[in-house]
């Protein structure tokens, strides 16, 4: 399969932080990257597909989480690479990254090839881990890890000071809503991470896809409300569907995440994992009951 054509990124400045806006405003398969320069070192966050072959020099690269659209430009960097310890195995091994998608065997093989050929994903056995609160001092500017799990176990944001810039990665505020359909994803953790973002008051909030940079805590909070609202809409859609007893398979076929026209081997497993997480929560709050083994109904 031929490699995706890359399009040069666009630089936008926010204080001392440079956002490298990917092609198509960072819509997948592209993403937005962040360059942070201090007096001693330069740090790059999430080298995307748009940076392949044209990536700026950096002394260290941070990865928000181990998904292909956030690491496609890593091959251009022979410098220390760091990611949260919970995503470290997936960054070190492309096979582990693919396993995390929970796809059927044949689809997993195709995805393995796609990550290799289209996204330039290679095993980064040299990658090292970081944890929540790890600080990278670049000289006059710091980058602090803010662990925001849910999308993946190690998904992290980065607080850049003194600029007041929080990169929230795939808490991206898009109309698609939060994605927690991987094997290691967690709706509960995702919701906690969104609450944590709301508690961090800064001037700028940078997203990895499409929405770009949002200025002001108030504006960010309003957009986050709409993002959170997608989860609430999925709850409501599930409760409406459970007007009579349904199985998990029926819920997955009905779909909470993807529109009916979307096809692919990823759809069923993502829908199933999403359905199970919503069911578990609604069972816990008493809004759904298991009327017989494997069949659920709204109360």
């Amino acid at each position: 399969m031929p490699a995706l054509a890359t399009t040069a990124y666009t630089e936008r400045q926010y204080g001392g932080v440079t956002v490298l806006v990917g092609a198509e405003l960072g819509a997948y398969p592209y993403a937005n990257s962040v360059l942070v320069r201090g007096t001693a070192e330069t740090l790059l966050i999430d080298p995307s597909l748009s940076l392949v072959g044209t990536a700026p020099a950096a002394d260290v690269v941070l990865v928000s989480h181990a998904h292909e659209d956030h690491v496609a430009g890593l091959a251009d960097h022979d410098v220390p690479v760091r990611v949260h310890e919970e995503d470290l195995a997936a960054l070190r091994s492309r096979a582990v990254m693919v396993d995390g998608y929970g796809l059927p065997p044949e689809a997993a093989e195709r995805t393995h090839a796609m990550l290799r050929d289209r996204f330039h994903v290679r095993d980064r056995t040299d990658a090292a881990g970081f944890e929540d609160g790890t600080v990278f001092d670049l000289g006059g500017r710091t980058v602090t890890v803010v662990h925001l799990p849910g999308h993946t176990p190690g998904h992290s944001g980065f607080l850049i000071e003194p600029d007041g810039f929080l990169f929230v990665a795939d808490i991206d505020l898009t109309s698609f809503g939060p994605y927690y359909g991987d094997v290691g994803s967690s709706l509960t953790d995702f919701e906690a991470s969104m609450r944590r973002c709301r508690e961090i008051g800064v001037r700028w909030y940078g997203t990895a896809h499409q929405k770009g940079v949002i200025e002001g805590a108030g504006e960010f909070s309003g957009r986050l409300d709409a993002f959170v609202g997608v989860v609430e809409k999925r709850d409501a859609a599930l409760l409406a569907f459970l007007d009579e007893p349904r199985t998990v398979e029926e819920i997955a076929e009905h779909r909470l995440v993807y529109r009916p026209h979307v096809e692919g081997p990823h759809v069923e497993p993502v829908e199933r994992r999403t359905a199970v997480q919503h069911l578990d929560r609604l069972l816990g709050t008493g809004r759904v009951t298991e009327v017989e083994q494997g069949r659920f109904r709204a109360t």
Side-chain angles (χ1 to χ4, degrees):
M1 185 176 294
L4 281 171
T6 59
T7 303
Y9 55 86
T10 302
E11 294 190 8
R12 295 182 183 171
Q13 203 70 27
Y14 300 89
V17 177
T18 306
V19 175
L20 312 178
V21 181
E24 300 175 15
L25 296 179
Y28 185 89
Y30 305 103
N32 301 324
S33 307
V34 177
L35 189 68
V36 189
R37 293 186 176 93
T39 59
E41 290 187 313
T42 297
L43 180 150
L44 178 64
I45 300 170
D46 282 4
S48 77
L49 194 62
S50 290
L51 273 61
V52 173
T54 61
D59 299 294
V60 61
V61 176
L62 305 186
V63 175
S64 64
H65 63 291
H67 277 169
E68 70 276 5
D69 49 323
H70 297 260
V71 302
L74 269 183
D76 290 346
H77 293 279
D78 186 19
V79 298
V81 175
R82 306 285 296 276
V83 69
H84 191 279
E85 55 194 13
E86 292 289 341
D87 274 19
L88 182 57
L91 187 60
R92 286 180 170 175
S93 166
R94 184 173 61 233
V96 173
M97 185 183 294
V98 173
D99 286 346
Y101 297 140
L103 299 170
E106 289 186 5
E109 290 181 12
R110 291 194 298 271
T111 300
H112 201 292
M114 180 188 73
L115 265 58
R116 180 192 65 219
D117 299 336
R118 301 180 73 188
F119 289 90
H120 316 282
V121 177
R122 303 290 185 267
D123 295 350
R124 287 302 298 240
T125 56
D126 60 314
F130 54 58
E131 58 187 19
D132 186 42
T134 297
V135 178
F136 296 87
D137 189 344
L138 308 179
R141 186 163 279 112
T142 60
V143 179
T144 302
V145 175
V146 182
H147 188 206
L148 301 171
H151 182 61
T152 69
H155 182 272
S156 296
F158 303 99
L159 177 62
I160 304 166
E161 296 287 15
D163 307 279
F165 188 107
L166 178 64
F167 182 65
V168 295
D170 273 4
I171 301 180
D172 56 23
L173 310 180
T174 60
S175 59
F176 181 84
Y179 176 89
Y180 36 89
D182 284 2
V183 173
S185 298
S186 166
L187 170 55
T188 299
D189 286 349
F190 208 128
E191 291 184 312
S193 293
M194 290 189 287
R195 289 193 295 271
R196 187 177 187 189
C197 286
R198 199 187 298 276
E199 294 167 356
I200 301 174
V202 293
R203 180 175 181 183
W204 291 296
Y205 300 81
T207 67
H209 299 288
Q210 294 170 282
K211 298 303 179 181
V213 176
I214 292 87
E215 184 167 7
E219 179 66 20
F220 175 76
S221 183
R223 296 195 185 202
L224 190 60
D225 286 342
F227 194 62
V228 171
V230 176
V231 178
E232 297 168 351
K233 289 176 182 177
R234 291 171 185 162
D235 271 344
L238 177 55
L239 288 168
F241 186 61
L242 295 181
D243 59 345
E244 60 181 76
R246 312 278 190 179
T247 65
V248 171
E249 288 74 16
E250 289 172 324
I251 298 168
E253 185 176 352
H254 182 68
R255 298 196 178 189
L256 299 177
V257 180
Y258 295 108
R259 294 179 179 179
H261 71 276
V262 177
E263 298 179 353
H266 64 291
V267 171
E268 191 279 334
V270 168
E271 290 287 353
R272 183 183 181 89
R273 286 189 290 267
T274 301
V276 167
Q277 292 184 77
H278 280 265
L279 272 176
D280 285 346
R281 184 169 64 168
L282 294 171
L283 284 163
T285 59
R287 301 177 72 187
V288 166
T289 185
E290 188 172 11
V291 294
E292 56 185 275
Q293 187 172 5
R295 297 183 70 83
F296 305 89
R297 183 172 186 166
T299 55

